[in-house]
Amino acid sequence: MSKLLEVIGELYDIKFGKKYIRKVQMDSRKVEKGDLFFAINNGKNYIEEVLKKEASLVICDDNKWKENSNVLIVENVVEAMQLIAREYRKNLKVKLIGVVGSNGKTTTKDILYSIISSKYSSKKTEGNYNNHIGVPFTILQIEEKDKYGIIEMGMSNFGEIKTLCKIAGLNYSIITNIGDSHLEFMLNRRNVFLEKSIVKNYVEEDKLLFFGDDPYLKSLKGKSIGFNDYNNYVISNYKLEENGILFKINEKDYKVNLYGEHNCINSALSIEMAKMIGMTDEDVKKGLENIEITPMRFQKILKEKIIFINDSYNASPVSMKYSLNTFEKLKTQKDKIVILADMGELGEKEMEFHIEIIQYALRKKFFKIILYGDRMEKALDKIENKDNIILFKNKSDIKNLINKEFKNKLILIKGSNFNQLWKIIE
C-alpha cells in the first residue's frame, strides 16, 4: 500500500525510506509483519507486542514511544485515522458506494459486494464497522488495484453522517429506509430522515438510489425502487420459496437464496445499484449465486434437530415486524417458536414500541412466544392475553426449556445485540 505510506509521509512530514505497509490493523492479535497498527483506546497497551511482530508502523498518542522510529505520535489517534483515510481516499481511483438506512444496511452491503466482487476487485465494510472509526478503517483497507468499495455508514446522533461523507468521498449511495432507530438521541423519525438523507448532498442526483415506498424517502430526488408503480424500478411478483425468494424488477426475473420481503428490497437495491455502475443483468445474476451474509442476519443454524433462525444482531420496531412476517410465512411442518428480546435506543416511546411488538407477534400463528429482558417484562404487564407467552429473566432457562420441550422445532431469535441472544444457541 505505497499510496497510503506516501499520504502519511506528506501529512506528517516524514521520510519513510524503504518502509512498506502490508495491511492496516486495529486489533493487536491480527498484526503481522509489515502492518500499520492504530493504537486506539487500550491499544497502546499492546504497542510493544505489535513491534515484536515487526509492525511496519504504529500510530499512537503515548509519548513514551517518541524515540522509536517505527512509532508515530499524534494528539488523537481516531482523528489521525480519519484524516489519513480522507487524504488516502483522494489518492485512490476507486469508486465508493455508501449504504445508509435504519434497517438492512449490512445485508444490502453484503449482497451488493457479492455481485460486484464477482467481476471486479472490491472491498466492503467488514461486520458492522460503520461508525466514525469503522468507516475510515474500511477505507484504509482499500488497495490501489480495487475498483469499488462498499461502505456501510451508521449513526446514532446528529452530524455523524455528514462527518462520514466528508471522509468517504462517495460516488454513489443507497438509502434502505427510515425507521424508529436511535430515537433516544434523534427523538423522532423525521430527524432520523434528515440525518440519514444528508448523503444526497454528497452524490449526484442520478447516483442516489433509495427505497421509494418509504414515506420519507419518496420525497427525495434520485432513482427510487419499490413495489408501487410510481418508482423508477418496480418490484413485483414477490414469492417466498423453501430455498429463497423470487421476484421481478421492471418485469425481469430474479432469484435470491435469502428469505423475506425485506431481503427482496435489499436485493433489489443491490441489483439496481450494480446496474447503475455498469454491470449487465448477466453479471448481476452470476453474483447473486454466491451471496455471503454477515452472521446473525436471519441466519439459519441447525443444532440437534432444532432449526434456529438467528436474527439477533440488532432490532428495531421495523426490523422486528419484518422478521416476524418472514418467519410466519416460512413453509415448514415444524412448530414455530419466537424468542423476542429488548430493543434499545428507542427513547421515551420505548414501552409503547415493545407493547406493539408483543401484540403484533400475538396476531401471528406461532406455537409459543418467549420474551426476554426488562423492557419486554414491563411491556408484558400491559398485555391482557398472556396464554401463549412465556417470560424469562435469564438465557440459561430459555436454553433448558428448548432442550427439554422444543426439540424438532423452528425457532426465531430476535432482539438488540446487547441481549446476547446468540448464547441460547451455544
Short mmCIF file of all heavy atoms in Angstrom, two decimals, residues 352-393:
data_model
loop_
_atom_site.label_atom_id
_atom_site.label_comp_id
_atom_site.label_asym_id
_atom_site.label_seq_id
_atom_site.Cartn_x
_atom_site.Cartn_y
_atom_site.Cartn_z
N GLU A 352 -44.09 1.81 24.53
CA GLU A 352 -45.13 1.74 23.50
C GLU A 352 -44.71 0.81 22.37
O GLU A 352 -45.50 -0.02 21.89
CB GLU A 352 -45.40 3.15 22.98
CG GLU A 352 -46.46 3.26 21.92
CD GLU A 352 -46.62 4.69 21.42
OE1 GLU A 352 -46.53 5.63 22.26
OE2 GLU A 352 -46.82 4.88 20.20
N PHE A 353 -43.46 0.92 21.95
CA PHE A 353 -42.94 0.08 20.86
C PHE A 353 -42.88 -1.39 21.27
O PHE A 353 -43.21 -2.28 20.49
CB PHE A 353 -41.56 0.54 20.42
CG PHE A 353 -41.57 1.81 19.60
CD1 PHE A 353 -40.82 2.91 19.99
CD2 PHE A 353 -42.32 1.90 18.44
CE1 PHE A 353 -40.82 4.08 19.24
CE2 PHE A 353 -42.32 3.06 17.68
CZ PHE A 353 -41.58 4.17 18.08
N HIS A 354 -42.48 -1.68 22.50
CA HIS A 354 -42.39 -3.07 22.96
C HIS A 354 -43.77 -3.70 23.09
O HIS A 354 -43.96 -4.87 22.72
CB HIS A 354 -41.62 -3.14 24.29
CG HIS A 354 -40.14 -3.02 24.13
ND1 HIS A 354 -39.50 -1.81 23.98
CD2 HIS A 354 -39.17 -3.96 24.07
CE1 HIS A 354 -38.20 -2.01 23.85
NE2 HIS A 354 -37.97 -3.31 23.90
N ILE A 355 -44.74 -2.94 23.59
CA ILE A 355 -46.12 -3.44 23.66
C ILE A 355 -46.64 -3.76 22.26
O ILE A 355 -47.25 -4.80 22.02
CB ILE A 355 -47.04 -2.40 24.36
CG1 ILE A 355 -46.65 -2.25 25.82
CG2 ILE A 355 -48.51 -2.81 24.22
CD1 ILE A 355 -47.30 -1.06 26.51
N GLU A 356 -46.37 -2.85 21.33
CA GLU A 356 -46.81 -3.02 19.94
C GLU A 356 -46.25 -4.30 19.33
O GLU A 356 -46.96 -5.04 18.64
CB GLU A 356 -46.38 -1.80 19.12
CG GLU A 356 -46.77 -1.86 17.66
CD GLU A 356 -46.20 -0.69 16.87
OE1 GLU A 356 -45.77 0.32 17.48
OE2 GLU A 356 -46.17 -0.79 15.62
N ILE A 357 -44.96 -4.58 19.59
CA ILE A 357 -44.34 -5.78 19.02
C ILE A 357 -44.91 -7.06 19.62
O ILE A 357 -45.14 -8.04 18.91
CB ILE A 357 -42.80 -5.72 19.20
CG1 ILE A 357 -42.19 -4.62 18.31
CG2 ILE A 357 -42.15 -7.07 18.87
CD1 ILE A 357 -42.50 -4.74 16.82
N ILE A 358 -45.16 -7.07 20.93
CA ILE A 358 -45.77 -8.25 21.55
C ILE A 358 -47.15 -8.50 20.96
O ILE A 358 -47.51 -9.64 20.62
CB ILE A 358 -45.85 -8.08 23.08
CG1 ILE A 358 -44.45 -8.00 23.70
CG2 ILE A 358 -46.63 -9.25 23.70
CD1 ILE A 358 -44.43 -7.65 25.18
N GLN A 359 -47.93 -7.44 20.81
CA GLN A 359 -49.27 -7.57 20.24
C GLN A 359 -49.19 -8.05 18.78
O GLN A 359 -50.02 -8.86 18.34
CB GLN A 359 -50.01 -6.24 20.33
CG GLN A 359 -50.37 -5.84 21.75
CD GLN A 359 -50.93 -4.43 21.85
OE1 GLN A 359 -50.63 -3.56 21.03
NE2 GLN A 359 -51.76 -4.20 22.87
N TYR A 360 -48.21 -7.55 18.08
CA TYR A 360 -48.01 -7.94 16.68
C TYR A 360 -47.70 -9.44 16.59
O TYR A 360 -48.25 -10.16 15.75
CB TYR A 360 -46.87 -7.12 16.09
CG TYR A 360 -46.76 -7.17 14.58
CD1 TYR A 360 -47.55 -6.37 13.77
CD2 TYR A 360 -45.84 -8.01 13.96
CE1 TYR A 360 -47.44 -6.40 12.39
CE2 TYR A 360 -45.72 -8.07 12.59
CZ TYR A 360 -46.52 -7.25 11.81
OH TYR A 360 -46.42 -7.30 10.43
N ALA A 361 -46.82 -9.91 17.48
CA ALA A 361 -46.46 -11.33 17.49
C ALA A 361 -47.65 -12.21 17.86
O ALA A 361 -47.82 -13.31 17.32
CB ALA A 361 -45.31 -11.56 18.47
N LEU A 362 -48.50 -11.72 18.76
CA LEU A 362 -49.68 -12.49 19.19
C LEU A 362 -50.67 -12.70 18.05
O LEU A 362 -51.44 -13.67 18.06
CB LEU A 362 -50.37 -11.79 20.36
CG LEU A 362 -49.70 -11.95 21.73
CD1 LEU A 362 -50.30 -10.99 22.74
CD2 LEU A 362 -49.81 -13.39 22.22
N ARG A 363 -50.67 -11.80 17.08
CA ARG A 363 -51.59 -11.93 15.95
C ARG A 363 -51.11 -12.97 14.93
O ARG A 363 -51.83 -13.33 14.02
CB ARG A 363 -51.80 -10.58 15.26
CG ARG A 363 -52.55 -9.56 16.13
CD ARG A 363 -53.06 -8.39 15.31
NE ARG A 363 -51.99 -7.54 14.82
CZ ARG A 363 -51.50 -6.50 15.50
NH1 ARG A 363 -51.98 -6.19 16.70
NH2 ARG A 363 -50.54 -5.75 14.99
N LYS A 364 -49.88 -13.41 15.09
CA LYS A 364 -49.32 -14.42 14.20
C LYS A 364 -49.62 -15.83 14.73
O LYS A 364 -49.96 -16.01 15.90
CB LYS A 364 -47.79 -14.25 14.09
CG LYS A 364 -47.35 -12.86 13.65
CD LYS A 364 -47.78 -12.53 12.24
CE LYS A 364 -47.28 -11.16 11.81
NZ LYS A 364 -47.75 -10.82 10.46
N LYS A 365 -49.48 -16.81 13.87
CA LYS A 365 -49.79 -18.19 14.25
C LYS A 365 -48.53 -18.92 14.72
O LYS A 365 -48.01 -19.80 14.04
CB LYS A 365 -50.43 -18.92 13.07
CG LYS A 365 -51.77 -18.32 12.65
CD LYS A 365 -52.33 -19.02 11.42
CE LYS A 365 -53.66 -18.39 11.01
NZ LYS A 365 -54.21 -19.02 9.78
N PHE A 366 -48.04 -18.52 15.89
CA PHE A 366 -46.84 -19.13 16.44
C PHE A 366 -47.22 -20.11 17.56
O PHE A 366 -48.15 -19.87 18.34
CB PHE A 366 -45.88 -18.08 16.99
CG PHE A 366 -45.36 -17.13 15.94
CD1 PHE A 366 -45.35 -15.76 16.18
CD2 PHE A 366 -44.90 -17.60 14.71
CE1 PHE A 366 -44.86 -14.88 15.22
CE2 PHE A 366 -44.43 -16.73 13.75
CZ PHE A 366 -44.41 -15.36 13.99
N PHE A 367 -46.45 -21.18 17.66
CA PHE A 367 -46.69 -22.20 18.68
C PHE A 367 -46.46 -21.62 20.09
O PHE A 367 -47.21 -21.91 21.02
CB PHE A 367 -45.76 -23.40 18.43
CG PHE A 367 -45.88 -24.49 19.43
CD1 PHE A 367 -46.97 -25.36 19.41
CD2 PHE A 367 -44.90 -24.68 20.41
CE1 PHE A 367 -47.08 -26.38 20.35
CE2 PHE A 367 -45.00 -25.70 21.34
CZ PHE A 367 -46.11 -26.56 21.30
N LYS A 368 -45.42 -20.80 20.22
CA LYS A 368 -45.11 -20.21 21.52
C LYS A 368 -44.31 -18.93 21.31
O LYS A 368 -43.50 -18.82 20.39
CB LYS A 368 -44.31 -21.18 22.38
CG LYS A 368 -44.23 -20.82 23.86
CD LYS A 368 -45.57 -20.92 24.55
CE LYS A 368 -46.05 -22.35 24.66
NZ LYS A 368 -47.35 -22.43 25.38
N ILE A 369 -44.54 -17.95 22.19
CA ILE A 369 -43.77 -16.70 22.19
C ILE A 369 -43.00 -16.61 23.50
O ILE A 369 -43.59 -16.68 24.58
CB ILE A 369 -44.70 -15.47 22.04
CG1 ILE A 369 -45.45 -15.51 20.71
CG2 ILE A 369 -43.88 -14.17 22.15
CD1 ILE A 369 -46.57 -14.49 20.60
N ILE A 370 -41.69 -16.49 23.39
CA ILE A 370 -40.83 -16.37 24.57
C ILE A 370 -40.26 -14.96 24.62
O ILE A 370 -39.72 -14.46 23.61
CB ILE A 370 -39.69 -17.40 24.53
CG1 ILE A 370 -40.27 -18.82 24.60
CG2 ILE A 370 -38.70 -17.17 25.67
CD1 ILE A 370 -39.25 -19.92 24.38
N LEU A 371 -40.38 -14.30 25.76
CA LEU A 371 -39.88 -12.93 25.92
C LEU A 371 -38.70 -12.92 26.89
O LEU A 371 -38.66 -13.69 27.85
CB LEU A 371 -40.98 -12.01 26.44
CG LEU A 371 -42.25 -11.89 25.60
CD1 LEU A 371 -43.23 -10.93 26.26
CD2 LEU A 371 -41.94 -11.44 24.18
N TYR A 372 -37.77 -12.00 26.63
CA TYR A 372 -36.58 -11.87 27.49
C TYR A 372 -36.21 -10.39 27.60
O TYR A 372 -36.22 -9.66 26.61
CB TYR A 372 -35.41 -12.66 26.89
CG TYR A 372 -34.09 -12.42 27.59
CD1 TYR A 372 -33.79 -13.07 28.78
CD2 TYR A 372 -33.16 -11.53 27.07
CE1 TYR A 372 -32.59 -12.84 29.44
CE2 TYR A 372 -31.96 -11.29 27.72
CZ TYR A 372 -31.68 -11.96 28.91
OH TYR A 372 -30.49 -11.73 29.56
N GLY A 373 -35.90 -9.95 28.81
CA GLY A 373 -35.42 -8.59 29.01
C GLY A 373 -36.36 -7.75 29.87
O GLY A 373 -37.56 -8.00 29.94
N ASP A 374 -35.80 -6.72 30.49
CA ASP A 374 -36.57 -5.85 31.39
C ASP A 374 -37.68 -5.09 30.66
O ASP A 374 -38.78 -4.94 31.19
CB ASP A 374 -35.63 -4.85 32.07
CG ASP A 374 -34.64 -5.52 33.01
OD1 ASP A 374 -34.93 -6.64 33.46
OD2 ASP A 374 -33.57 -4.93 33.28
N ARG A 375 -37.37 -4.61 29.45
CA ARG A 375 -38.38 -3.85 28.71
C ARG A 375 -39.54 -4.74 28.30
O ARG A 375 -40.71 -4.35 28.37
CB ARG A 375 -37.74 -3.20 27.48
CG ARG A 375 -36.65 -2.18 27.80
CD ARG A 375 -35.95 -1.74 26.52
NE ARG A 375 -34.88 -0.76 26.73
CZ ARG A 375 -33.62 -1.06 27.02
NH1 ARG A 375 -33.28 -2.35 27.16
NH2 ARG A 375 -32.71 -0.12 27.17
N MET A 376 -39.22 -5.95 27.83
CA MET A 376 -40.27 -6.89 27.44
C MET A 376 -41.12 -7.28 28.66
O MET A 376 -42.34 -7.43 28.55
CB MET A 376 -39.66 -8.14 26.80
CG MET A 376 -39.18 -7.95 25.37
SD MET A 376 -40.57 -7.55 24.25
CE MET A 376 -39.68 -7.46 22.67
N GLU A 377 -40.48 -7.41 29.82
CA GLU A 377 -41.21 -7.76 31.04
C GLU A 377 -42.21 -6.67 31.41
O GLU A 377 -43.38 -6.94 31.74
CB GLU A 377 -40.23 -7.98 32.19
CG GLU A 377 -40.92 -8.40 33.47
CD GLU A 377 -39.94 -8.68 34.61
OE1 GLU A 377 -38.73 -8.43 34.43
OE2 GLU A 377 -40.40 -9.16 35.67
N LYS A 378 -41.78 -5.42 31.34
CA LYS A 378 -42.68 -4.30 31.67
C LYS A 378 -43.81 -4.18 30.66
O LYS A 378 -44.95 -3.89 31.01
CB LYS A 378 -41.87 -3.00 31.72
CG LYS A 378 -40.92 -2.91 32.91
CD LYS A 378 -40.08 -1.65 32.86
CE LYS A 378 -39.07 -1.62 33.99
NZ LYS A 378 -38.16 -0.44 33.89
N ALA A 379 -43.47 -4.41 29.38
CA ALA A 379 -44.49 -4.33 28.33
C ALA A 379 -45.53 -5.43 28.49
O ALA A 379 -46.72 -5.22 28.24
CB ALA A 379 -43.83 -4.42 26.95
N LEU A 380 -45.08 -6.60 28.93
CA LEU A 380 -45.99 -7.74 29.09
C LEU A 380 -47.07 -7.45 30.13
O LEU A 380 -48.19 -7.97 30.05
CB LEU A 380 -45.20 -8.99 29.47
CG LEU A 380 -45.99 -10.29 29.58
CD1 LEU A 380 -46.68 -10.63 28.26
CD2 LEU A 380 -45.07 -11.44 30.00
N ASP A 381 -46.77 -6.61 31.12
CA ASP A 381 -47.76 -6.25 32.14
C ASP A 381 -48.97 -5.56 31.53
O ASP A 381 -50.06 -5.56 32.12
CB ASP A 381 -47.12 -5.32 33.18
CG ASP A 381 -46.18 -6.06 34.12
OD1 ASP A 381 -46.30 -7.30 34.22
OD2 ASP A 381 -45.31 -5.41 34.73
N LYS A 382 -48.78 -4.95 30.34
CA LYS A 382 -49.87 -4.22 29.68
C LYS A 382 -50.65 -5.10 28.70
O LYS A 382 -51.59 -4.64 28.06
CB LYS A 382 -49.29 -3.02 28.92
CG LYS A 382 -48.43 -2.08 29.77
CD LYS A 382 -49.23 -1.40 30.86
CE LYS A 382 -48.36 -0.40 31.63
NZ LYS A 382 -49.11 0.24 32.73
N ILE A 383 -50.23 -6.35 28.58
CA ILE A 383 -50.89 -7.27 27.64
C ILE A 383 -51.94 -8.10 28.39
O ILE A 383 -51.65 -8.69 29.44
CB ILE A 383 -49.85 -8.21 26.99
CG1 ILE A 383 -48.76 -7.39 26.26
CG2 ILE A 383 -50.52 -9.18 26.03
CD1 ILE A 383 -49.24 -6.58 25.09
N GLU A 384 -53.14 -8.15 27.86
CA GLU A 384 -54.23 -8.90 28.52
C GLU A 384 -54.12 -10.40 28.28
O GLU A 384 -54.20 -11.19 29.21
CB GLU A 384 -55.59 -8.37 28.03
CG GLU A 384 -55.89 -6.95 28.50
CD GLU A 384 -57.27 -6.50 28.08
OE1 GLU A 384 -58.05 -7.34 27.58
OE2 GLU A 384 -57.57 -5.30 28.24
N ASN A 385 -53.94 -10.81 27.04
CA ASN A 385 -53.89 -12.23 26.71
C ASN A 385 -52.45 -12.73 26.74
O ASN A 385 -51.67 -12.50 25.83
CB ASN A 385 -54.50 -12.47 25.33
CG ASN A 385 -54.43 -13.92 24.91
OD1 ASN A 385 -54.22 -14.81 25.75
ND2 ASN A 385 -54.62 -14.18 23.63
N LYS A 386 -52.10 -13.42 27.84
CA LYS A 386 -50.73 -13.89 28.01
C LYS A 386 -50.63 -15.42 27.85
O LYS A 386 -49.60 -16.02 28.15
CB LYS A 386 -50.20 -13.50 29.38
CG LYS A 386 -50.17 -12.00 29.67
CD LYS A 386 -49.62 -11.74 31.08
CE LYS A 386 -49.47 -10.26 31.38
NZ LYS A 386 -50.75 -9.55 31.47
N ASP A 387 -51.69 -16.04 27.38
CA ASP A 387 -51.76 -17.51 27.35
C ASP A 387 -50.62 -18.16 26.57
O ASP A 387 -50.15 -19.23 26.94
CB ASP A 387 -53.10 -17.96 26.76
CG ASP A 387 -54.27 -17.58 27.65
OD1 ASP A 387 -54.02 -17.25 28.82
OD2 ASP A 387 -55.42 -17.61 27.18
N ASN A 388 -50.20 -17.54 25.48
CA ASN A 388 -49.20 -18.15 24.60
C ASN A 388 -47.79 -17.61 24.83
O ASN A 388 -46.91 -17.82 24.03
CB ASN A 388 -49.62 -17.93 23.14
CG ASN A 388 -48.96 -18.94 22.21
OD1 ASN A 388 -48.79 -20.10 22.56
ND2 ASN A 388 -48.58 -18.49 21.03
N ILE A 389 -47.61 -16.87 25.94
CA ILE A 389 -46.35 -16.18 26.19
C ILE A 389 -45.66 -16.73 27.44
O ILE A 389 -46.30 -16.98 28.46
CB ILE A 389 -46.58 -14.66 26.36
CG1 ILE A 389 -47.20 -14.06 25.09
CG2 ILE A 389 -45.27 -13.95 26.68
CD1 ILE A 389 -47.56 -12.60 25.23
N ILE A 390 -44.34 -16.91 27.33
CA ILE A 390 -43.52 -17.26 28.50
C ILE A 390 -42.45 -16.19 28.65
O ILE A 390 -41.78 -15.84 27.67
CB ILE A 390 -42.84 -18.63 28.34
CG1 ILE A 390 -43.85 -19.71 27.93
CG2 ILE A 390 -42.14 -19.03 29.63
CD1 ILE A 390 -43.20 -21.04 27.61
N LEU A 391 -42.29 -15.65 29.86
CA LEU A 391 -41.26 -14.65 30.13
C LEU A 391 -40.11 -15.29 30.90
O LEU A 391 -40.33 -16.03 31.87
CB LEU A 391 -41.85 -13.50 30.95
CG LEU A 391 -40.84 -12.44 31.42
CD1 LEU A 391 -40.41 -11.57 30.25
CD2 LEU A 391 -41.43 -11.59 32.54
N PHE A 392 -38.87 -15.00 30.47
CA PHE A 392 -37.69 -15.50 31.18
C PHE A 392 -36.78 -14.33 31.55
O PHE A 392 -36.69 -13.34 30.82
CB PHE A 392 -36.92 -16.48 30.31
CG PHE A 392 -37.55 -17.84 30.22
CD1 PHE A 392 -38.36 -18.17 29.14
CD2 PHE A 392 -37.35 -18.78 31.21
CE1 PHE A 392 -38.95 -19.42 29.05
CE2 PHE A 392 -37.93 -20.04 31.13
CZ PHE A 392 -38.74 -20.36 30.04
N LYS A 393 -36.08 -14.50 32.68
CA LYS A 393 -35.17 -13.46 33.14
C LYS A 393 -33.70 -13.84 32.92
O LYS A 393 -32.82 -13.01 33.13
CB LYS A 393 -35.41 -13.15 34.62
CG LYS A 393 -36.79 -12.56 34.86
CD LYS A 393 -36.94 -12.03 36.27
CE LYS A 393 -38.29 -11.35 36.46
NZ LYS A 393 -38.45 -10.76 37.80
#
